[in-house]
Amino acid sequence: FAGRLTGPAHPGMGADASGLVARHFFLVIDEDHLVPPDRGRVFEAARAFLARLDPSDRFAVAVLQSARLRSLVPFGTKIEVAGKALDDQQKNKYSFGLLGQQMFAAPMVREKERNAFKQLQRALQSLGAYPGRKEMILISRGLNRYEGTGGRASHASLDRELNDMVSQADRSRVTIHTLGVSGLEAEPGFC
């Protein structure tokens, strides 16, 4: 999460008092593909990311649960309020989401995965309407692109939905960053 993303102001693009174009970040935590040991690291990383934003940055936070995108905080929320919303979400009872369901009903899971891609595609379209730099950060173990169970690829896949989502990001001029849960280093005290 380190680094500072800034760019020159463009007239009419929502520049702040310093002349920088407002950056819009949309943080999505993919609860459908987390397992309980992931949660501490994921929510700590989300809070750390928000703490590093500049005062002129705008952000929103959502969770992907049961293949539905649910807003935790909308754009314009203060960091302290977002931190509380993340704390509350982390304390909520957790279900295994799509990971647990994959063992039982592959066709149903496939439709939920397809819907998850469509939810993210709609979010990208909405984010694209904002001025300035727009970035979606998706924290996940990974969406399952393949039909079937046990991680095996079958002939039919969800590549079309993935390609549609990437095309929507291009059209909306949104950069997507995906953070794999395994890439979040566990620090002392994290579980």
Side-chain angles (χ1 to χ4, degrees):
F1 294 116
R4 180 172 165 82
L5 305 172
T6 58
H10 300 288
M13 291 296 289
D16 67 7
S18 68
L20 294 175
V21 173
R23 298 180 304 169
H24 290 84
F25 294 96
F26 184 45
L27 178 62
V28 178
I29 298 171
D30 179 7
E31 292 244 30
D32 278 346
H33 297 91
L34 296 182
V35 293
D38 296 336
R39 291 178 60 86
R41 290 180 298 161
V42 166
F43 283 93
E44 186 61 33
R47 285 187 287 275
F49 171 75
L50 293 178
R52 290 187 172 126
L53 295 179
D54 289 337
S56 63
D57 292 333
R58 305 293 176 253
F59 64 90
V61 182
V63 291
L64 189 60
Q65 286 180 320
S66 300
R68 297 272 185 239
L69 203 55
R70 186 173 65 81
S71 175
L72 289 183
V73 295
F75 282 107
T77 303
K78 295 188 182 293
I79 288 178
E80 299 80 26
V81 174
K84 171 123 177 52
L86 286 168
D87 289 345
D88 291 346
Q89 181 65 29
Q90 185 176 355
K91 291 174 190 171
N92 280 344
K93 185 176 178 184
Y94 176 74
S95 74
F96 279 99
L98 297 179
L99 281 181
Q101 293 174 17
Q102 285 177 356
M103 293 182 263
F104 304 110
M108 183 174 73
V109 171
R110 181 178 56 243
E111 285 308 311
K112 285 188 176 185
E113 291 283 357
R114 183 171 278 120
N115 191 52
F117 280 109
K118 290 181 188 217
Q119 294 282 318
L120 291 172
Q121 187 177 348
R122 283 188 210 117
L124 287 165
Q125 185 176 15
S126 296
L127 182 58
Y130 286 94
R133 191 168 186 158
K134 302 161 290 241
E135 305 196 30
M136 176 186 275
I137 300 98
L138 175 64
I139 303 176
S140 178
R141 276 196 170 267
L143 290 142
N144 182 6
R145 294 178 18 233
Y146 301 103
E147 297 182 21
T149 59
R152 292 183 182 168
S154 70
H155 295 295
S157 71
L158 299 174
D159 282 341
R160 188 172 123 221
E161 284 76 8
L162 176 63
N163 289 335
D164 288 347
M165 189 177 84
V166 171
S167 295
Q168 182 61 57
D170 287 343
R171 285 190 304 275
S172 300
R173 305 187 119 203
V174 174
T175 303
I176 302 174
H177 304 275
T178 56
L179 297 175
V181 172
S182 61
L184 300 174
E185 291 186 24
E187 295 181 16
F190 289 14
C191 47

